[in-house]
Amino acid sequence: MALPLKALYDKQGFVIVPGLVRDDDREELEMACDRVIARTRAGQWPYRRTVGKQFPPYGNDHPDSWGVQHVMHPDLGEPCFVRWYTSLMITEVARELLECGEEDLQMELFNLLINPLESRFALRWHRDDVGEKATEEEEKAALEKWRYGVQWNTALYRDACLFLVPGSHRMPRTPEQRALSETMDPPEDPLEMPGSIQLVLQPGETVFYNSNILHCAAYEPGEKRATLHATMGDAKGGSTRARNVLQHGLEWMKEVRFREDLDEKSVAMLDLLLKMHAESGDAVGFSLEN
């Protein structure tokens, strides 16, 4: 008998959900992605993930990109991203996995993962908000409190970039896993990590995952990728997620011109983010080292 979605998520740290991009939304999202990717590659959008930088701050030193940041930004003029992020299909799954009410849903990050044009690029094995040198006790403490947010990747095209270790969101690394995740270098073969699997998403599939699961990624030039990469929080977590979210630079979300185009539900979600921001201050630092 298959486990319910929440139980499966709690057990393995991820779940794959199909059908969160409706047929009548797919073309609109694909075209919007094509436009923002073209702007980014042409140097007309400064908020990008640059080859050579695995984590924030990404800088602007390399011409090749593996991601587009802040796709809900009003300067991009692509309202379909906000509509999809706050859609009932997405928020219902988020509420189930977070076990919270709609009034607790916190707007967070929405970015786009793309293929580099000329460079192979990979991320090292990591947990998004736990340092690579964390002790076993520090890992345990961080993992126990990391239940107030969910991250997801929605593939518009086939995506085989993500590798993870099921169940590692609940336990510290073994000595063998630690040896392969303490350096700054990405792995030559991700499947050498004990317990690791490769996730292959078909177009329209979404993987929701605990972002402190042990994971890495590998990107190949020439393989078209447009994967919607987002997070959503449960405001009952207070400042738990502040560093991991605010390190991406979300000052633009305070602007009236972003707020004025949102519906009532989206404004409520935004207000919870701004409350966390106000209570946490600006000096949140960065979760991981490049």
Side-chain angles (χ1 to χ4, degrees):
M1 181 177 177
L3 289 174
L5 194 67
K6 170 62 173 172
L8 184 61
Y9 178 76
D10 287 345
K11 178 181 179 181
Q12 61 185 21
F14 73 95
V15 287
I16 295 177
V17 180
L20 297 183
V21 180
R22 299 178 303 189
D23 290 342
D24 53 350
D25 292 332
R26 180 184 299 279
E27 183 177 2
E28 184 179 28
L29 286 167
E30 288 178 354
M31 292 176 65
C33 287
D34 285 345
R35 287 190 293 269
V36 301
I37 291 170
R39 287 183 63 175
T40 302
R41 298 206 194 283
Q44 298 169 358
W45 186 247
Y47 306 116
R48 62 190 184 96
R49 299 187 176 194
T50 54
V51 167
K53 292 289 187 180
Q54 301 182 46
F55 311 112
Y58 295 107
N60 201 31
D61 294 336
H62 198 287
D64 211 350
S65 304
W66 61 274
V68 182
Q69 296 285 91
H70 311 315
V71 297
M72 294 191 291
H73 198 299
D75 284 350
L76 280 178
E78 300 290 355
C80 67
F81 289 126
V82 178
R83 287 198 302 269
W84 182 79
Y85 177 90
T86 59
S87 67
L88 187 60
M89 294 184 301
I90 295 295
T91 58
E92 279 190 334
V93 177
R95 284 178 55 196
E96 180 174 354
L97 298 181
L98 294 172
E99 293 186 314
C100 71
E102 183 172 297
E103 70 278 6
D104 299 313
L105 286 179
Q106 176 174 281
M107 184 178 287
E108 293 186 348
L109 307 172
F110 191 2
N111 305 309
L112 178 64
L113 303 178
I114 65 176
N115 56 295
L117 284 181
E118 300 178 354
S119 313
R120 294 187 68 191
F121 182 66
L123 304 180
R124 59 183 171 87
W125 283 102
H126 64 283
R127 306 182 192 274
D128 278 5
D129 200 49
V130 185
E132 68 282 343
K133 296 294 187 180
T135 65
E136 182 173 336
E137 291 73 23
E138 289 169 339
E139 275 193 277
K140 286 180 179 178
L143 298 180
E144 285 174 1
K145 69 179 183 181
W146 201 248
R147 61 183 182 275
Y148 292 106
V150 65
Q151 183 160 292
W152 71 90
N153 292 358
T154 298
L156 296 183
Y157 309 98
R158 183 182 181 274
D159 188 330
C161 297
L162 182 63
F163 298 79
L164 51 77
V165 178
S168 60
H169 65 301
R170 296 184 291 117
M171 58 191 68
R173 293 166 292 177
T174 66
E176 294 78 15
Q177 291 170 340
R178 182 176 290 274
L180 294 174
S181 60
E182 285 189 324
T183 73
M184 296 290 107
D185 300 322
E188 292 187 9
D189 179 4
L191 292 175
E192 289 182 351
M193 173 64 73
S196 64
I197 63 171
Q198 181 178 19
L199 282 188
V200 180
L201 298 178
Q202 300 303 324
E205 288 186 331
T206 299
V207 57
F208 289 86
Y209 58 103
N210 180 313
S211 63
N212 271 343
I213 199 169
L214 194 58
H215 63 289
C216 72
Y219 303 84
E220 294 290 338
E223 294 183 7
K224 185 170 184 178
R225 187 185 196 209
T227 294
L228 308 173
H229 178 59
T231 72
M232 193 171 287
D234 174 358
K236 294 194 299 295
S239 63
T240 305
R241 297 175 56 74
R243 178 177 63 181
N244 191 240
V245 173
L246 300 179
Q247 66 179 334
H248 289 265
L250 301 181
E251 292 296 319
W252 60 271
M253 296 178 85
K254 298 179 179 179
E255 297 179 14
V256 173
R257 62 199 183 101
F258 176 57
R259 184 187 195 88
E260 64 187 5
D261 289 331
L262 300 179
D263 61 18
E264 183 177 352
K265 173 183 176 180
S266 303
V267 167
M269 294 173 67
L270 173 63
D271 282 344
L272 292 176
L273 173 69
L274 298 183
K275 181 175 184 289
M276 181 180 74
H277 195 320
E279 292 175 350
S280 302
D282 295 325
V284 293
F286 296 97
S287 295
L288 300 173
E289 295 183 15
N290 276 303

